[in-house]
Amino acid sequence: DRRQRQMCIRDRYQRRVRGFFCQIMQFIDIGANLTDGMFQGIYHDKKYHDPDLAHVINRAVQAGVHKIIITSGSVSDVRAASELIPNHSDILSTTVGVHPTRCNEFGNSEEEEHNYFSQLKDLLISGSNSFVSCLGEFGLDYDRLDFCSKEVQKRYFEKQLIQLCPLSASLSYDKQSGSHLPLFLHNRNSTDDLVQILHQNRQHFQMGRGVVHSFDGSADELYKILELGWFIGINGCSLKTQDNLDVLKLVPSDRLLIETDAPWCEIRPSHAGSKYIKTNWNFVRKEKYKPTHSSDVLVKSRCEPCQIRQVLEVIAGHRNEDLEKLGDHIYQNTINLFFPKGAQSLNIC
């Protein structure tokens, strides 16, 4: 009927507009949890739809995303990521490290700890020239101490810096500079301790060679991190409140990186930054979603890498900066930090 024809015309127009922008905009999602069960159709241990990771990656590519770093927070995550990457090796890579809320996985004895570190190191060694692009996700998270105590988090954050950074530097990732892989740092309500541990262990890594991802702290916290030279990763969780947006204005462009943290950290209509969003998708509830849907249809409340453009739109809109110029600047920041050897091949526009 007439309404259906109008909807089809609208959908074709949206695809053409999105395709046009993707030809001139380039993105790298520095953090997406692609091993999460949601991309296998599993939500809270219940199956709702067929696995659709291939569709998710395809949507990202159509949206101009050239690279996605999978955020792995445990040995099992890294192994799962390493199994996904061969089918998309030109797009995907992963971190190697243990998330602060999962540090109990190191065990309760020296032997268990040694065995766990051995597995981490083996994965780092085997993937240093293929599927591994950075170290992490490690750091501190004082908002979720019910998962892991402060003491355990601090102990294994420090131990990972001491053991993984020198090992990474000794591998053939960048023999010319002798530098380690970039660090992918987690920080929730823990900036003072994070900065202290980084400072105390600075002999094991290059200060500032990495990013504090999903930043949502105060201006004071921002300056403490910037003073040490780190990049700042921004996603939907960084854009929730007016205070978040005010701090966002203080981040220098040459320190900015963007991410989705998919399937988490979507920009919701209730968030302060949502007023700047110009690019939208069609959504259906997970109960009704089928991977055979058109590329414009996403699962409601499940963030995807293709939505990274929205993060850029909020940043550019609130800072009153040109979208394309800022996007190019951030893209180049990301290449310089994570993919310096592939810079020429990535610059396709």
Side-chain angles (χ1 to χ4, degrees), residues 24 28 38 76 95 102 114 123 152 158 220 284 308 338:
I24 59 175
I28 297 175
M38 289 191 201
S76 60
T95 67
R102 300 174 71 173
H114 175 77
L123 288 165
V152 171
E158 187 169 28
D220 181 60
V284 296
I308 197 167
F338 292 110

Side-chain angles (χ1 to χ4, degrees), residues 14-205:
Q14 287 179 343
R15 282 194 290 272
R16 287 174 182 172
V17 170
R18 197 167 297 132
F20 169 77
F21 279 120
C22 288
Q23 292 176 15
I24 59 175
M25 294 294 294
Q26 304 177 94
F27 301 96
I28 297 175
D29 188 348
I30 68 161
N33 303 280
L34 297 187
T35 61
D36 189 274
M38 289 191 201
F39 298 115
Q40 300 301 313
I42 301 171
Y43 302 73
H44 304 292
D45 298 322
K46 184 178 179 181
K47 185 87 168 183
Y48 284 90
H49 59 77
D50 291 335
D52 70 330
L53 184 58
H55 294 273
V56 170
I57 294 172
N58 184 57
R59 279 192 284 268
V61 171
Q62 290 180 351
V65 180
H66 295 161
K67 292 283 186 182
I68 303 171
I69 298 176
I70 301 174
T71 45
S72 295
S74 68
V75 164
S76 60
D77 281 355
V78 181
R79 286 177 176 158
S82 70
E83 293 175 0
L84 295 175
I85 291 170
N87 293 326
H88 309 278
S89 58
D90 57 330
I91 301 170
L92 302 182
S93 62
T94 186
T95 67
V96 170
V98 180
H99 192 282
T101 63
R102 300 174 71 173
C103 283
N104 287 327
E105 292 189 21
F106 281 103
N108 299 312
S109 68
E110 289 186 8
E111 181 180 1
E112 289 177 337
E113 177 186 312
H114 175 77
N115 289 339
Y116 202 90
F117 264 116
S118 293
Q119 294 176 70
L120 274 180
K121 291 176 181 178
D122 287 345
L123 288 165
L124 175 56
I125 292 169
S126 64
S128 62
N129 282 310
S130 54
F131 59 84
V132 177
S133 56
C134 51
L135 302 177
E137 172 184 2
F138 46 52
L140 302 172
D141 190 324
Y142 291 173
D143 283 344
R144 292 183 282 179
L145 295 176
D146 50 325
F147 288 99
C148 195
S149 69
K150 283 186 181 181
E151 292 72 23
V152 171
Q153 289 187 33
K154 290 193 288 186
R155 180 188 313 137
Y156 288 109
F157 176 33
E158 187 169 28
K159 286 192 174 187
Q160 288 183 86
L161 291 173
I162 293 171
Q163 297 197 39
L164 299 184
C165 293
L167 174 60
S168 171
S170 72
L171 300 173
S172 57
Y173 165 73
D174 192 356
K175 283 184 176 179
Q176 185 173 3
S177 68
S179 184
H180 57 79
L181 287 165
L183 308 188
F184 193 91
L185 300 173
H186 183 98
N187 176 40
R188 279 286 181 268
N189 195 25
S190 56
T191 299
D192 287 342
D193 282 351
L194 183 89
V195 168
Q196 182 181 25
I197 291 173
L198 289 170
H199 184 73
Q200 290 174 343
N201 293 276
R202 62 192 181 279
Q203 70 272 27
H204 300 295
F205 60 90

